[in-house]
Each structure stands twice: as structure tokens, then as C-alpha cells.
Amino acid sequence: MVDEDLIEWMPGANTAAPLLLLQGTGGTNQEILNFGRRLAPQSPLITIAGRQGSGAERQYFRQTAAGPTDPQQVHNEAAWLGETVTSICQEHRWDADKLIVVGYSNGAAMAAYGVRAGVIPGQAAVLFHPLWLPVAHPVSRPGYQVWLSAGQRDLLVSVDTVQRVQTACDQLDATTEMLVTGGSHMLTPQEVLAAQTWITQNT
């Protein structure tokens, strides 16, 4: 599959902040675009699928209990995502400086990595149940805003793991907010509504 086949977008108001949507393992472009439209009805939407695996195994990086299997691949993927979304925004005259990156699980981990490494542009991130990825050289992001969520019954990504991501973002001089629900790894209506409200109020 060529890189162009991994990318889809939906138009929106040019004055609205564009969203970069990064899906969880095995997610599809259409699913995440529909989800993005619920979060931000007026925004241009961009989704870029991961280049690791295929079908139900497609993801941005391969993960084991000990961490990512290839840290260099993680960095390369994040840099590619940043370059690609910047190019798409330029092509459509969307403001990449206003970009909001939204990720779930594997995609949220990649989003958090890209923000902390300074390779994903924009003003804000919405991170649903992000896995932890170490960043060798974090870049300060003063004024950046991050919203995170976790589930107390999530057996894949613990609340402690999401708090670790939040702390790492705090250390970038970003402003963070975290929601903990009683749910599992699946998103709850409470999370979706809270994220939608946060995007409306903070961008």
C-alpha cells in the first residue's frame, strides 16, 4: 500500500482548526473520520493511517510489554506524520498552527510522542487512553494544550500510564487536563462529550 492510500480528508470551514485523527490498532479511516466529525462538526478533518501491519493489525508502531519494538521507527513515523499533515494543510490552505491532533490508544501514543518530540504542529492534542512512548529529546511547547482520558477498568492502558503521559506533557510547559472514567479501554459517551466540549472551549 502506498502512502497516499493511507490518507483521507474531509473538508470543513477554512477558519476552523483542522483535526489530525490517529486511530487505534485496526481502526479504519472512515470510522475515525466519522468520530472526528462528532468532535468538531465545522473542522477540516485529516486522517493518516499507520504504516505497520495491515487490516486489523494496522498501527503506527509495534508495541510489546517492554515498550516499542523499534524506537527509531517510532520517531520516523512521527516525523512523517508531521510532514504529511503540514503539506496537506498547506495544499488546502488550512492553518497548521491551529491543528488539533486527536488520537486513540496506539494513535494517541503516537500523537503524544509527536507533540513531545516537536514534530507534529498545532495548538492542542486530545489523547484517549495513550500508551507510553519515551522521547529522547523532548521539545518545550509553551501555550500548547493537552486533554487526556483514561479508564479505571482499562486492562490495556492503566490510569498510571496516562498520568505518566500527562506529567511528560506538563514538563513541556503545556497546559493539561485529564479525565478518568470508570470505563474500560473502549471509549465512553462521557469521554466523547467531555472531549467535544473541551475542543469547543479551548480552540
Side-chain angles (χ1 to χ4, degrees), residues 119-180:
V119 297
I120 289 182
Q123 63 172 335
V126 173
L127 308 174
F128 296 99
H129 304 238
L131 296 150
W132 169 256
L133 288 174
V135 176
H137 303 290
V139 175
S140 180
R141 300 292 293 259
Y144 200 88
Q145 300 185 80
V146 181
W147 183 93
L148 312 92
S149 71
Q152 293 176 329
R153 295 186 294 112
D154 189 337
L155 301 180
L156 298 177
V157 182
S158 68
V159 173
D160 286 347
T161 296
V162 180
Q163 288 175 332
R164 188 179 183 188
V165 176
Q166 181 184 28
T167 298
C169 292
D170 287 334
Q171 293 169 350
L172 307 178
D173 294 325
T175 300
T176 67
E177 179 180 332
M178 180 170 163
L179 171 69
V180 179

Side-chain angles (χ1 to χ4, degrees), residues 11-51:
N14 281 8
T15 55
L19 265 60
L20 170 62
L21 304 160
L22 303 182
Q23 54 212 247
T25 299
T28 68
N29 286 354
Q30 196 57 53
E31 288 172 344
I32 198 75
L33 286 170
N34 290 341
F35 180 66
R37 187 53 77 215
R38 291 173 60 193
L39 293 179
Q42 301 301 317
S43 289
L45 305 177
I46 306 158
T47 186
I48 307 172
R51 297 185 291 184

